[in-house]
Amino acid sequence: MKVWTIANQKGGVGKTTTVVSLGGLLSSWGFRTLLVDMDPHGSLTSYFRYDPDALEASTYSLFQAVAEKQTIDPASLICETGTEGLDLLPASMALATLDRQAGRLEGMGLILKNALDKLSDQYDYILVDCPPMLGVLMVNALAACQRLIIPVQTEFLALKGLERMLNTLKMVLKSRKTDLSHVIVPTFFDKRTRASISSLKTLRESWPNELWNGVIPVDTLFREASRAGIPPAIFDPRARGVVAYAALLESLQQIDQPHPSAGVAG
Ligand SMILES: Nc1ncnc2c1ncn2[C@@H]1O[C@H](COP(=O)(O)OP(=O)(O)OP(=O)(O)O)[C@@H](O)[C@H]1O
Ligand SMILES: [Mg+2]
């Protein structure tokens, strides 16, 4: 089982879109896939027509069980998405209270990891969607994954947000026993705009090793698919946005293959 977290402290950069896009592709390629919503706003949960304001069972239940010293089967929290092979562990609004209590949550950094470990026989891939802020939820998501995907909008302000995210990563790495490979994914790329072209150039110059060598283009398909509540890859497999995410997925899977001479998986 592979766990990938999608995070960036900046809002609206395409995190949730990356999760549903990669998730739809993975399930259509035959991988049993779980999407996990760690954002109190529950955009991923709403995408699949569940109401984060009304849900009783959610990722919050994992934290609540630990606080109340009870055990919970994470499989009991999982919902269907309407797409075969693609499941959802939804968010509820109660998650917002966790970040407010963060001071009292010492020792709560591994709750998500411990829960996902229990699902390792049931899924090939787990993709975790994060809120756009550093707090106990993001810390849990970073502790639970083997890979971090950082979507970055190709515009000037976004680069500052990326620096902040990479600093967070450094901080989290100090408390992790294992390394965390990360990839920067340029999103909302519009080749007609100077902002897109010049921020992509800056990304290439500043982070040549971490940057994926493709781009996710601006594509109205993402909003249409979201309005329909269907993963983009199922809504329109040939759309250029979907083709771009498929190329990203292929390159991520290639990195995950053990290198013949290194003998260590990424
Ligand atoms: N490549 C794209 N082209 C056009 N629209 C996009 C693209 N990626 C995402 N969007 C749209 O932009 C909006 C914001 O995207 P998304 O919700 O994925 O960002 P986010 O980083 O998860 O935001 P938040 O920080 O609020 O959680 C959504 O309406 C989505 O449909
Ligand atoms: Mg989001």
Side-chain angles (χ1 to χ4, degrees):
M1 179 183 75
K2 293 191 165 69
V3 182
W4 295 350
T5 284
I6 292 77
N8 189 331
Q9 272 141 280
K10 189 161 178 356
V13 297
K15 294 181 289 295
T16 303
T17 301
T18 300
V19 170
V20 279
S21 298
L22 295 180
L25 286 163
L26 281 165
S27 60
S28 66
W29 293 0
F31 295 103
R32 299 165 303 165
T33 306
L34 175 69
L35 309 181
V36 178
D37 196 350
M38 291 292 273
D39 185 352
H41 285 120
S43 315
L44 178 63
T45 301
S46 308
Y47 194 107
F48 294 106
R49 303 294 182 265
Y50 292 98
D51 180 2
D53 296 348
L55 281 175
E56 302 253 314
S58 74
T59 42
Y60 178 71
S61 314
L62 302 171
F63 293 84
Q64 196 181 23
V66 171
E68 293 172 358
K69 297 194 169 48
Q70 285 171 355
T71 52
I72 188 165
D73 177 7
S76 69
L77 307 172
I78 291 170
C79 308
E80 292 176 355
T81 65
T83 293
E84 203 190 325
L86 188 67
D87 290 343
L88 172 71
L89 213 167
S92 64
M93 221 177 52
L95 273 181
T97 63
L98 285 175
D99 270 319
R100 272 182 242 135
Q101 301 166 0
R104 289 194 277 130
L105 286 171
E106 220 166 282
M108 283 200 147
L110 291 177
I111 291 177
L112 183 65
K113 181 182 182 345
N114 293 339
L116 299 186
D117 281 348
K118 291 190 193 146
L119 299 171
S120 61
D121 292 342
Q122 289 172 51
Y123 294 101
D124 301 307
Y125 283 90
I126 298 186
L127 307 181
V128 184
D129 192 15
C130 281
M133 58 185 169
L134 177 60
V136 70
L137 296 165
M138 192 190 283
V139 167
N140 264 270
L142 293 176
C145 67
Q146 298 109 33
R147 176 187 296 286
L148 168 64
I149 299 170
I150 311 174
V152 176
Q153 197 167 344
T154 41
E155 49 127 61
F156 296 112
L157 285 176
L159 303 180
K160 197 80 210 146
L162 173 60
E163 275 169 33
R164 205 171 300 138
M165 187 62 225
L166 291 172
N167 284 334
T168 298
L169 177 63
K170 257 188 228 152
M171 193 190 76
V172 168
L173 279 179
K174 281 189 198 146
S175 59
R176 265 178 74 112
K177 289 190 191 74
T178 51
D179 197 13
L180 178 54
S181 67
H182 57 282
V183 59
I184 298 166
V185 176
T187 58
F188 289 89
F189 185 76
D190 183 349
K191 63 176 189 288
R192 296 164 305 181
T193 67
R194 269 189 38 210
S196 269
I197 290 173
S198 83
S199 52
L200 183 63
K201 187 165 169 273
T202 310
L203 286 171
R204 286 209 176 113
E205 285 162 3
S206 309
W207 292 283
N209 300 323
E210 291 99 331
L211 190 71
W212 171 51
N213 62 13
V215 290
I216 304 299
V218 169
D219 192 337
T220 51
L221 147 99
F222 294 115
R223 278 208 175 86
E224 288 162 21
S226 149
R227 220 169 288 138
I230 299 169
I234 316 290
F235 188 79
D236 183 358
R238 283 189 298 271
R240 55 201 194 103
V242 172
V243 172
Y245 273 110
L248 171 65
L249 183 54
E250 273 173 9
S251 86
L252 292 174
Q253 287 185 322
Q254 257 165 27
I255 309 173
D256 273 347
Q257 298 300 320
H259 194 277
S261 59
V264 181

